Amino acid sequence: SGHSEVYVSPMPVANEGLSARWQVSTSGGKRPLWRGDSRELYYGSPDGMVMAVSVDGSGRDFHVGAHTALFQAFQREDVQTMAVSADGQSFIINTLGGDEAEPLAVVTNWVQSLQAK
């Protein structure tokens, strides 16, 4: 496709290597993550969307379901870091900030400040 793509393959068996692989993304994808029950896969698409794909690997074959665009998360394809909760309802995404990005404030010893009051 000319893009990085997301594939799924079973863990290799000793001395047998990879027996199969299935393409999950359709137009490029990076940084795939599994939902906690392994029935959905998330990845960043080249247009900056977070995509969700239902999957079923319960039988001898692997089935890829419909692709759903969840939300725009990135300005470009440069997905830095993404994490998803076990139920797939919450995401944490680290992206590169632009010139308009707010500065980051780090508060240390905040527990001691609460105890002093």
Side-chain angles (χ1 to χ4, degrees), residues 15-88:
N15 301 322
E16 290 185 25
L18 296 177
S19 58
R21 73 177 186 168
W22 297 271
Q23 186 172 342
V24 175
S25 58
T26 56
S27 299
K30 289 187 175 182
R31 309 274 191 216
L33 296 168
W34 287 103
R35 189 171 69 188
D37 62 4
S38 299
R39 297 194 50 82
E40 196 164 47
L41 190 65
Y42 307 100
Y43 65 90
S45 70
D47 64 357
M49 297 296 290
V50 171
M51 303 295 293
V53 181
S54 60
V55 294
D56 182 6
S58 58
R60 291 189 51 85
D61 231 354
F62 186 81
H63 301 280
V64 178
H67 292 71
T68 303
L70 297 180
F71 53 88
Q72 182 78 36
F74 314 105
Q75 296 299 316
R76 53 192 173 281
E77 189 176 357
D78 297 334
V79 178
Q80 296 301 310
T81 306
M82 182 169 69
V84 63
S85 62
D87 63 1

